[in-house]
């Protein structure tokens, strides 16, 4: 798997989906304004968790497996793994169909947010993007995923 360029399908799409999920999970203001208010266009917290693991199977193995494709290096992989583990632990406790508040009020959520933030910042900067911009809507993400190099 090594040596494959990052923009080969489907790696860049998987990376942008993982980044999108981590971005949303890392942003408490977004969570309050969008997830808690039920605003359309961004999916809910369960969608974000799903986007993190559905194609990557990061619920089954380490992001280290993807170094050289979705993941740039071992440090990035380690940060992603911590975030995924913290988020999945909460998912398993609250249940997949839980409302946003069940996640956001969970005692371990701030730690998940912090871990996601660290992973998000590293991935965004590695891709030459501003980590502090707002999360993209799912529609924008889909357009980006179709048109990325």
């Amino acid at each position: 798997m090594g040596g494959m360029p990052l923009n080969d399908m489907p790696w860049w799409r998987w990376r942008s989906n993982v980044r999108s999920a981590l971005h949303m999970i890392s942003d408490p203001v977004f969570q309050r304004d969008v997830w808690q208010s039920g605003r359309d266009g961004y999916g809910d917290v369960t969608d974000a968790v799903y986007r993190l693991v559905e194609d990557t199977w990061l619920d089954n193995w380490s992001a280290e497996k993807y170094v050289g494709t979705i993941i740039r290096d071992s440090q990035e992989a380690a940060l992603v793994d911590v975030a995924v583990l913290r988020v999945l632990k909460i998912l398993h406790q609250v249940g997949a169909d839980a409302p946003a508040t069940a996640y956001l009020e969970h005692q371990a959520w701030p730690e998940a947010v912090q871990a996601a933030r660290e992973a998000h910042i590293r991935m965004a900067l590695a891709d030459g993007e501003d980590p502090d911009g707002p999360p993209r809507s799912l529609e924008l993400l889909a357009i980006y995923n179709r048109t990325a190099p």
Side-chain angles (χ1 to χ4, degrees):
M1 201 150 74
M4 191 176 288
L6 267 174
N7 60 0
D8 264 22
M9 288 284 290
W11 306 119
W12 56 264
R13 180 178 292 167
W14 290 6
R15 182 177 175 89
S16 68
N17 284 341
V18 166
R19 277 192 47 196
S20 162
L22 289 170
H23 194 170
M24 291 183 181
I25 293 164
S26 76
D27 187 339
V29 174
F30 164 85
Q31 291 162 22
R32 187 188 66 223
D33 295 350
V34 176
W35 282 345
Q36 278 194 295
S37 69
R39 189 172 356 144
D40 286 343
Y42 292 85
D44 60 19
V45 59
T46 312
D47 295 324
V49 176
Y50 191 64
R51 206 154 55 251
L52 202 54
V53 300
E54 66 176 327
D55 291 324
T56 59
W57 291 49
L58 287 174
D59 46 345
N60 289 305
W61 51 60
S62 169
E64 184 72 33
K65 185 181 177 86
Y66 296 114
V67 168
T69 53
I70 307 173
I71 303 293
R72 289 180 185 265
D73 57 39
S74 289
Q75 283 169 299
E76 194 176 88
L79 292 174
V80 170
D81 280 345
V82 172
V84 169
L85 288 171
R86 287 187 181 172
V87 170
L88 289 177
K89 189 172 176 185
I90 296 168
L91 171 75
H92 293 144
Q93 288 176 7
V94 301
D97 297 320
T101 49
Y103 286 88
L104 307 188
E105 292 170 2
H106 192 283
Q107 63 195 27
W109 187 250
E111 291 175 9
V113 168
Q114 181 61 36
R117 174 103 181 125
E118 290 172 18
H120 161 66
I121 289 172
R122 185 171 180 101
M123 294 182 87
L125 292 176
D127 291 349
E129 293 183 24
D130 175 11
D132 292 320
R136 287 189 180 104
S137 70
L138 297 186
E139 184 180 14
L140 275 177
L141 183 66
I143 292 167
Y144 174 81
N145 278 347
R146 282 200 300 274
T147 58

